[in-house]
Amino acid sequence: MDAGVDGDQGVSMHRHPRWQLAALLTAPVLWLVVAYLGALGVLMVSAFWTVNGFTGGIVREFSLANFRTILGEEVYRTVTLRSVGVAAAVTVICVVVAVPMAFYMAKVASARARPWLVIAVLTPLWASYLVKAYAWRVLLGNGGPIDSLLGGPGRGPGYGLTATVIVLAYLWLPYMILPIHAGLDRLPDSLLEASADLGARAGHTLRRIVLPLLVPPVAAGSIFTFSLSLGDYITVQIVGGKTQLIGNLVYANIGAAGNLPFAAALATIPVLIMVIYLIAVRRSGALEEL
Amino acid sequence: MITEIRYNRPMTVELSGLRKTFGAVTAVDGIDLRIGDGEFFSMLGPSGSGKTTVLRLIAGFELPTAGTVALDGRDVTRLAPFERDVNTVFQDYALFPHLSVQENVEYGLKVRKVAKRERRERAREALAKVRLEGFGARKPSAMSGGQRQRVALARALVNRPKVLLLDEPLGALDRKLREQMQVELKAIQRDAGITFVFVTHDQDEALTMSDRVAVFDGGRIVQVGTPESVYERPASAFVADFVGSSNVFSGETARTLFRKEGTFSVRPEKIAITDEPAAAPGTVAEVIYAGPVTRYVVDLDAGARVVVVEQNSRTPRALAGLRGQRVRLGWHEEHVIPLPSGKDSAHAS
């Protein structure tokens, strides 16, 4: 055996697969445990703390007071339902817009145009979220471009719940297009030809072959659009008018009210909803084909 | 030269002046073809010779640049695939992955709004025909390649099309299974009385199964005929070489061997190693033992390298000692096939 080679770090790594694995995984595991699960753990734990009403200091004792408030007061139930409704509406709009767009990108456009279309879908992600939200504020403003397009001031939706849904659907659309596009890209053209060969017109092929095969990618995309909408608090502040969603209630409790434990308790609601949503998606079998 | 064999039965598929170009590439360059009712017709050729494009033009997946496609006497050139009474078995089978085998087979019937009970019954029959009874509930992903191939066949046959188009359907199967499926396909075709148009690049497959074979080269048909006529009387050096293997002689070599001017082909199995003094002398360059046959490569004194195939029906010769030995090769006059001297008859190997 050559001593010079034996002393080489790279070669000894190959001889000791355990060390190699450890070197490879230490950083990501640390990140996952400390930064990711750690933060989530602190959130869960602090949700059971309270704030002293006089001093404003945090009382680190187990208490169900926050959850009792959330479950007991009408306003929190309304806001939760409203947030889920917004997330669901955004997801539905994204699916309806993304399916034909992705189909065009993957199956209809010329081979030369396809990469450019993917880039075009990705481009909005390069611009700042805030800038895009404010651009929509201008668009939706009273007497703004959308109003004039619809025939005068007050004709458009203005700021409010509708505006929030529109802007969120615009912001998260790429996250729906990309998985659907990937799914269609993998779908062999011969399946579409086979359907036509067996006598099916385009509409029938779409309903019986394309859409059923798109369930897994749509499920993947909906996880993005649903969870991103559920957690959003900026868009609703910019174009939502007086609309309250879970996100801006959490933000208000951290900022103005300084009640971090209550904010944490509120924040567990979207986490819980997402867990239920993921379980439901998994039950449907959609994730197995991803 | 194209040999058109007329059948005394109606023509199911008629192609005339068919051309298809993709940008600057001409895939199909003027094809005239008539395929008879109930015929097993093979389109044989190397990849890129246009045979698959012709199949896709018949199915309606491509529209021709020029020419017409008629099915059963009716011009269907401009009709969509779903308006044509043909079905296709795809090279990759193209089974719908989210549907069960039963649902896959029923798909065409369901589209045509056949009643549920009849649908069930016909799908069951079709699956029985391809020996897949009891597999209806499975997903295609839970089946082997050979089984998927049969599902694809059942899915097409269940619609009782006038013409069944098969695009290299056996290409993905291993040798044993392929040979078994060749026999089965032929039996199913004879049984159902459906016209089969079968695309393949495998000459054995084409010769084994077909009533007639069309040999494709460069987007054109270079010969049409029964397997026997294509093999025994190739119309060009290309056909002689592509269908089976061939010894092609031309120029000075041909003059010495046959005392005739032109290009000639002799099949390896029609040449024998003999003791006749009149036979052509040469030296054995290579001996290749291949189980049922042995191949000898002989350098003739007349200047050509010749392959001779001999059945190992008797105890084989002492093979190893034969290399480098002087032998004489003989053949019968009727096995010398004159080939038209054209651009592709120049090689004598």
Side-chain angles (χ1 to χ4, degrees):
Chain A
M1 204 171 280
D2 191 329
V5 172
D6 209 12
D8 189 301
Q9 192 64 33
V11 170
S12 72
M13 287 271 283
H14 282 291
R15 299 218 175 115
H16 302 284
R18 272 162 191 260
W19 283 106
Q20 200 182 359
L21 200 65
L24 192 70
L25 287 184
T26 304
V29 166
L30 271 180
W31 174 260
L32 189 72
V33 171
V34 177
Y36 199 79
L37 294 178
L40 204 61
V42 169
L43 175 83
M44 290 300 181
V45 170
S46 63
F48 294 98
W49 293 341
T50 46
V51 167
N52 186 309
F54 287 114
T55 62
I58 291 171
V59 182
R60 293 194 165 86
E61 277 167 25
F62 181 83
S63 152
L64 288 172
N66 293 333
F67 291 97
R68 235 174 268 133
T69 314
I70 290 171
L71 291 175
E73 285 187 32
E74 177 81 32
V75 63
Y76 296 113
R77 259 176 285 155
T78 314
V79 169
T80 300
L81 282 179
R82 187 187 295 136
S83 302
V84 171
V86 166
V90 168
T91 301
V92 168
I93 292 172
C94 282
V95 172
V96 168
V97 176
V99 168
M101 274 181 84
F103 190 83
Y104 181 83
M105 287 164 62
K107 296 289 174 205
V108 183
S110 71
R112 211 144 35 103
R114 285 176 194 179
W116 292 105
L117 289 169
V118 174
I119 290 171
V121 166
L122 288 173
T123 319
L125 296 179
W126 299 350
S128 158
Y129 170 106
L130 265 183
V131 172
K132 286 182 285 183
Y134 273 106
W136 272 97
R137 188 182 167 85
V138 173
L139 283 175
L140 288 161
N142 194 21
I146 289 180
D147 269 2
S148 5
L149 204 70
L150 295 174
R155 291 291 192 90
Y159 303 137
L161 199 59
T162 313
T164 309
V165 170
I166 292 171
V167 176
L168 286 175
Y170 158 77
L171 287 170
W172 311 140
L173 184 63
Y175 297 99
M176 183 62 86
I177 292 180
L178 291 179
I180 296 177
H181 174 257
L184 282 169
D185 212 32
R186 279 200 307 263
L187 186 88
D189 289 348
S190 64
L191 285 190
L192 308 182
E193 287 175 354
S195 179
D197 187 69
L198 292 165
R201 286 162 189 277
H204 194 275
T205 302
L206 185 74
R207 278 197 313 279
R208 300 284 169 205
I209 306 298
V210 179
L211 291 183
L213 288 172
L214 281 184
V215 169
V218 166
S222 75
I223 290 168
F224 290 123
T225 57
F226 197 82
S227 63
L228 288 169
S229 304
L230 212 53
D232 184 83
Y233 66 99
I234 300 175
T235 297
V236 66
Q237 282 181 24
I238 296 173
V239 299
K242 280 182 245 158
T243 311
Q244 280 192 317
L245 298 179
I246 296 176
N248 53 338
L249 280 190
V250 172
Y251 182 71
N253 272 292
I254 293 169
N259 191 342
L260 205 57
F262 191 69
L266 275 174
T268 57
I269 298 175
V271 173
L272 209 68
I273 292 171
M274 275 320 291
V275 168
I276 294 169
Y277 186 70
L278 282 173
I279 290 171
V281 169
R282 199 185 137 69
R283 277 273 171 85
S284 76
L287 290 180
E288 284 155 30
E289 287 168 48
L290 273 185
Chain B
M1 189 175 63
I2 293 170
T3 344
E4 174 94 12
I5 294 185
R6 292 287 181 125
Y7 280 78
N8 281 335
R9 43 189 176 186
M11 291 298 150
T12 330
V13 182
E14 289 186 75
L15 311 177
S16 40
L18 207 58
R19 274 174 55 80
K20 177 68 184 177
T21 55
F22 296 100
V25 182
T26 303
V28 175
D29 193 8
I31 285 201
D32 295 283
L33 190 62
R34 295 151 68 89
I35 299 172
D37 195 18
E39 201 176 353
F40 197 122
F41 190 90
S42 289
M43 303 203 281
L44 175 66
S47 58
S49 60
K51 56 195 191 305
T52 295
T53 309
V54 170
L55 197 81
R56 293 175 60 82
L57 286 164
I58 300 173
F61 302 138
E62 311 280 356
L63 292 179
T65 313
T68 58
V69 179
L71 292 172
D72 228 12
R74 174 166 163 254
D75 186 345
V76 298
T77 314
R78 296 284 139 193
L79 295 188
F82 55 81
E83 294 167 311
R84 302 185 185 200
D85 192 10
V86 298
N87 284 115
T88 307
V89 176
F90 291 81
Q91 190 169 10
D92 62 356
Y93 314 144
L95 299 178
F96 306 126
H98 60 299
L99 301 181
S100 70
V101 166
Q102 176 84 19
E103 289 167 326
N104 262 285
V105 175
E106 281 184 26
Y107 189 85
L109 301 175
K110 207 169 169 185
V111 169
R112 296 206 164 84
K113 303 209 163 50
V114 174
K116 189 171 180 175
R117 179 179 295 213
E118 192 191 338
R119 222 157 66 203
R120 281 280 134 80
E121 186 53 31
R122 278 171 69 176
R124 207 188 49 73
E125 270 171 35
L127 283 172
K129 201 174 275 177
V130 296
R131 300 199 288 112
L132 281 178
E133 302 101 326
F135 283 85
R138 288 215 201 171
K139 284 281 172 72
S141 56
M143 304 188 91
S144 71
Q147 290 171 328
R148 282 182 214 185
Q149 208 278 325
R150 287 161 199 231
V151 176
L153 194 61
R155 184 177 70 176
L157 282 173
V158 77
N159 304 297
R160 296 172 190 155
K162 265 267 169 310
V163 181
L164 188 69
L165 308 171
L166 303 103
D167 185 9
E168 309 223 5
L170 308 181
L173 306 181
D174 62 54
R175 192 192 162 94
K176 261 262 166 351
L177 201 55
R178 200 162 65 220
E179 283 170 1
Q180 186 190 331
M181 278 309 291
Q182 287 174 7
V183 176
E184 276 183 37
L185 263 183
K186 181 75 193 166
I188 287 169
Q189 188 262 344
R190 212 178 296 125
D191 232 50
I194 294 174
T195 309
F196 273 35
V197 181
F198 188 94
V199 161
T200 180
H201 63 266
D202 182 330
Q203 40 124 345
D204 282 335
E205 217 162 85
L207 295 179
T208 311
M209 296 194 285
S210 322
D211 295 319
R212 281 194 304 156
V213 179
V215 183
F216 278 68
D217 182 30
R220 293 166 182 274
I221 293 177
V222 285
Q223 189 172 3
V224 187
T226 61
E228 193 203 347
S229 75
V230 169
Y231 185 80
E232 301 290 343
R233 292 182 297 282
S236 71
F238 173 82
V239 177
D241 198 47
F242 190 78
V243 182
S245 55
S246 218
N247 298 298
V248 178
F249 307 94
S250 62
E252 187 56 42
T253 313
R255 271 194 291 280
T256 314
L257 290 174
F258 312 115
R259 275 164 242 96
K260 275 187 282 192
E261 202 62 46
T263 306
F264 303 90
S265 153
V266 185
R267 296 287 185 191
E269 73 277 10
K270 306 251 157 93
I271 303 179
I273 298 176
T274 128
D275 303 324
E276 266 180 66
T283 311
V284 177
E286 205 67 68
V287 181
I288 302 145
Y289 176 77
V293 297
T294 303
R295 263 190 288 277
Y296 302 91
V297 181
V298 178
D299 286 322
L300 287 180
D301 295 352
R305 175 163 276 208
V306 171
V307 177
V308 180
V309 171
E310 201 171 67
Q311 291 279 337
N312 293 332
S313 47
R314 290 156 296 170
T315 321
R317 303 164 194 261
L319 297 173
L322 221 56
R323 185 178 302 127
Q325 288 226 346
R326 300 284 296 163
V327 290
R328 280 175 181 279
L329 302 184
W331 50 77
H332 289 289
E333 192 60 36
E334 74 259 33
H335 291 148
V336 178
I337 308 151
L339 299 174
S341 42
K343 60 174 169 64
D344 53 2
S345 58
H347 62 110
S349 58

